[in-house]
């Protein structure tokens, strides 16, 4: 067998936190294996990190061959660096560093969902102007491949829907609420204790921001049209109660935080919200910190990607996968895009008011004749049809708890009904409104 010619590709890293440490360890331990497999030798030659203490995790012997500083410019201005790996997170100063790296003719790999969901279009334009590329597989599902398959294996198909669980923290919390009977606050505290949720401020996860960034990126790639964070409707899980979990179970559902992107007739809808899904659906079995995403295509029908959506080891595999993808095709004298930007269309973003959903609604009402007919009339007058209803005691004399599941209704019609119901003296409180997704 002909001996491979090994080409050296130099890497510079900006940031050396949790994920970067995993990337460094993976490249260091698998360097010979990667060389044999790809014909490319990956060498980390520069690291920029403000907190010098973080670099102490690198063995002294290895640091002899690495230049380090606290200035990111030392990485992207170094003519010997071929690929810049940005792992500091956030929009700024990451945008500044990445744009300057691309303008310096460097390929870039990032795991930064905030950056790509907010400034991805601008970065792609800079990359194209400089005949390089930016790869971001790890920005969405950590160690689960999804961006690459959408841009390559599924490129010939027309993708019309993406739906799934893309945030491990919220999935862990909802699993604890369902399996262990915990209230939301208790489940959140458990997630924080386990290290799955930030102790100082878990809002990015529990209020849906993290998932919204991810579905913005996925929708852009899948539907060939730019979707940014502000285009995504989002609700978190902070209002989900133990009663909601139990009532959903009684009706054959479980509750998950879903990220959903759809494209129909040139209009894109992107949303993140809790949803009741059928208990027999495979997504209902995705528990704890695991993620899973369904891709729906005209020809492929539907496929699912599943695995660990976070963690240093899993995410490092995706980051290094992007590095290898660039390295395989790398030629210092003849650069070019690896995937390039696939947003060649300019589709309309559909507002949430226009979207159609089934709804689960819980309300406390007066327990007397005529209440149900009054409520049904308001629903009917606003174009909302009730599919099923359960009545329970509210725990207070002369009060009842009504639980409705509607047929598919326009969001604006449903919420128009809710506003009118709130004004009725027979309605004490609207306790819950959660969408119901069949995931067909």
């Amino acid at each position: 067998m002909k001996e491979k010619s090994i080409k050296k590709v130099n890497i510079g890293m900006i940031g050396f936190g949790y994920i970067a440490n995993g990337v460094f360890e993976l490249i260091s331990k698998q360097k010979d294996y990667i060389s044999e497999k790809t014909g490319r030798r990956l060498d980390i030659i520069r690291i920029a990190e403000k907190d010098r203490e973080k670099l102490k995790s690198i063995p002294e012997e290895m640091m002899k061959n690495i230049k380090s500083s606290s200035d990111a410019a030392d990485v992207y201005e170094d003519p010997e660096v071929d690929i810049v790996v940005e792992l500091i997170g956030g929009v700024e100063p990451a945008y500044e560093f990445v744009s300057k790296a691309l303008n310096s003719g460097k390929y870039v790999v990032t795991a930064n969902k905030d950056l790509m969901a907010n400034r991805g279009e601008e970065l792609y334009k800079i990359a194209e102007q400089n005949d390089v590329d930016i790869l971001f597989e790890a920005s969405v599902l950590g160690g689960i491949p999804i961006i690459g398959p959408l841009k390559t294996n599924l490129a010939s198909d027309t993708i019309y829907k993406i739906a799934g669980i893309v945030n491990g923290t919220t999935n862990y919390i909802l699993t604890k609420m369902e399996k262990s009977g915990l209230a939301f606050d208790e489940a959140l505290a458990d997630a924080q204790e386990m290290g799955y949720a930030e102790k100082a401020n878990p809002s990015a996860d529990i209020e849906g921001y993290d998932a919204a960034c991810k579905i913005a990126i996925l929708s852009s790639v899948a539907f060939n049209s730019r979707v940014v964070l502000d285009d995504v409707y989002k609700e978190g899980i902070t209002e989900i109660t133990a009663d909601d979990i139990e009532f959903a179970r009684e009706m054959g559902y479980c509750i998950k935080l879903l990220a959903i992107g759809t494209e129909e007739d040139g209009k894109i809808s992107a949303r993140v919200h809790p949803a009741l899904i059928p208990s027999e659906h495979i997504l209902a079995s995705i528990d704890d910190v695991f993620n899973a995403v369904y891709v729906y295509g005209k020809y492929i029908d539907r496929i699912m990607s599943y695995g660990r959506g976070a963690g240093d080891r899993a995410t490092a595999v995706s980051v290094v996968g992007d590095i290898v993808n660039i390295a395989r095709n790398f030629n210092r004298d003849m650069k070019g895009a690896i995937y390039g930007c696939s947003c060649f269309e300019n589709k309309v973003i559909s507002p949430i008011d226009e979207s159609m959903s089934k709804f689960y609604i819980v309300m406390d009402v007066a327990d007397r004749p005529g209440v149900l007919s009054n409520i049904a009339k308001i629903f009917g007058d606003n174009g909302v049809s009730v599919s099923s209803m359960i009545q329970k005691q509210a725990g207070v004399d002369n009060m009842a708890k009504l639980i409705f599941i509607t047929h598919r209704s326009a969001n604006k019609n449903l919420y128009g009904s809710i506003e009118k119901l709130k004004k009725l003296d027979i309605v004490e409180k609207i306790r819950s409104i959660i969408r119901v997704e069949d995931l067909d």
Side-chain angles (χ1 to χ4, degrees):
M1 192 168 81
K2 186 177 178 181
E3 189 175 334
K4 284 184 179 178
S5 174
I6 305 296
K7 295 182 180 179
K8 182 180 176 183
V9 178
N10 294 328
I11 299 162
M13 301 181 72
I14 299 177
F16 202 76
Y18 178 59
I19 301 302
N21 215 312
V23 171
F24 184 92
E25 181 181 341
L26 182 58
I27 291 176
S28 300
K29 290 184 176 180
Q30 297 289 85
K31 182 175 292 189
D32 291 341
Y33 177 76
I34 293 169
S35 294
E36 286 293 321
K37 199 170 186 177
T38 66
R40 300 292 185 269
R41 178 181 175 82
L42 306 181
D43 282 339
I44 298 172
I45 65 168
R46 268 200 180 275
I47 300 174
E49 171 55 60
K50 285 187 174 182
D51 185 354
R52 309 296 290 168
E53 288 293 312
K54 291 180 179 179
L55 299 181
K56 289 184 177 180
S57 63
I58 301 175
E60 190 175 330
E61 193 63 30
M62 288 186 179
M63 280 303 297
K64 290 179 181 178
N65 301 315
I66 300 171
K67 297 176 182 177
S68 66
S69 72
S70 59
D71 190 352
D74 292 337
V75 173
Y76 58 73
E77 290 178 356
D78 187 336
E80 296 299 312
V81 170
D82 303 310
I83 302 171
V84 171
V85 179
E86 179 274 310
L87 294 170
I88 60 174
V91 178
E92 289 292 353
Y95 176 79
E96 176 191 349
F97 298 158
V98 170
S99 60
K100 287 182 177 178
L102 294 169
N103 274 319
S104 298
K106 315 292 187 189
Y107 287 88
V108 172
V109 172
T110 181
N112 192 333
K113 61 182 175 292
D114 304 81
L115 179 65
M116 296 309 298
N118 287 283
R119 308 292 293 274
E121 182 176 18
E122 297 155 84
L123 291 173
Y124 260 125
K125 287 179 180 177
I126 297 170
E128 288 172 2
Q129 291 164 4
N130 290 278
D131 291 322
V132 288
D133 209 342
I134 177 168
L135 274 61
F136 48 94
E137 184 65 73
S139 68
V140 176
L141 292 179
I144 308 170
I146 187 70
I147 301 298
L150 284 170
K151 284 180 172 281
T152 55
N153 308 77
L154 300 174
S156 63
D157 202 354
T158 301
I159 307 301
Y160 61 88
K161 183 175 181 179
I162 290 184
I165 298 162
V166 300
N167 181 272
T169 299
T170 50
N171 203 45
Y172 180 86
I173 291 169
L174 291 171
T175 299
K176 284 295 179 183
M177 292 179 72
E178 181 183 13
K179 306 292 186 186
S180 302
L182 300 184
F184 172 79
D185 289 342
E186 294 171 321
L188 172 59
D190 184 89
Q192 290 171 319
E193 189 64 30
M194 293 293 293
Y196 298 142
E198 289 188 21
K199 290 188 176 181
N201 184 11
S203 60
D205 291 314
I206 63 176
E207 292 178 6
Y209 175 86
D210 173 89
C213 286
K214 293 172 179 178
I215 198 61
I217 295 168
L218 284 172
S219 297
S220 297
V221 175
F223 308 137
N224 309 310
S225 182
R226 183 63 55 190
V227 178
V228 298
L229 178 63
D230 287 344
D231 296 327
V232 181
Y233 172 83
K234 62 180 182 297
E235 293 176 21
I237 64 167
T238 56
E239 300 300 316
I240 302 297
T241 68
D243 278 349
D244 292 326
I245 298 290
E246 183 56 33
F247 295 158
R249 187 186 353 251
E250 289 180 21
M251 293 184 288
Y253 295 97
C254 77
I255 299 176
K256 298 289 186 182
L257 182 73
L258 294 186
I260 301 172
T262 60
E263 190 277 332
E264 185 176 6
D265 298 328
K267 289 186 176 182
I268 293 173
S269 169
R271 49 197 168 97
V272 169
H273 52 71
L276 277 71
I277 63 174
S279 297
E280 68 272 13
H281 194 281
I282 194 167
L283 284 182
S285 68
I286 308 301
D287 288 336
D288 297 321
V289 295
F290 285 88
N291 289 183
V293 169
Y294 266 89
V295 176
Y296 300 73
K298 182 178 178 182
Y299 294 92
I300 199 72
D301 190 19
R302 65 191 68 181
I303 57 174
M304 189 186 84
S305 296
Y306 163 79
R308 292 187 180 275
D312 58 337
R313 292 168 67 88
T315 305
V317 171
S318 285
V319 173
V320 177
D322 278 347
I323 294 170
V324 167
N325 204 352
I326 295 169
R328 279 183 186 272
N329 299 279
F330 185 74
N331 186 329
R332 288 186 181 87
D333 300 319
M334 190 172 65
K335 295 181 179 179
I338 305 302
Y339 297 142
C341 182
S342 54
C343 293
F344 56 88
E345 299 183 79
N346 188 21
K347 297 175 181 176
V348 175
I349 303 298
S350 181
I352 191 64
D353 277 354
E354 294 180 9
S355 70
M356 302 286 289
S357 298
K358 296 180 181 179
F359 288 89
Y360 153 96
I361 305 157
V362 181
M363 62 181 79
D364 291 345
V365 302
D367 189 6
R368 62 174 187 253
V371 168
L372 189 56
S373 61
N374 286 338
I375 292 171
K377 184 177 188 307
I378 287 179
F379 278 141
D381 289 347
N382 285 271
V384 177
S385 174
V386 174
S387 173
S388 63
M389 190 277 293
I390 298 173
Q391 179 172 332
K392 291 181 176 289
Q393 289 304 117
V396 179
D397 289 344
N398 301 317
M399 297 297 294
K401 194 179 296 291
L402 300 183
I403 305 157
F404 295 93
I405 299 286
T406 74
H407 289 291
R408 280 171 59 82
S409 307
N411 275 245
K412 60 184 176 183
N413 292 351
L414 186 283
Y415 281 96
S417 299
I418 295 299
E419 289 307 308
K420 292 179 180 178
L421 288 169
K422 286 178 179 178
K423 295 176 182 177
L424 296 180
D425 60 359
I426 58 174
V427 176
E428 177 72 18
K429 185 174 184 179
I430 307 291
R431 291 198 171 272
S432 298
I433 304 172
I434 305 174
R435 288 167 179 80
V436 180
E437 298 288 340
D438 292 329
L439 297 170
D440 293 330

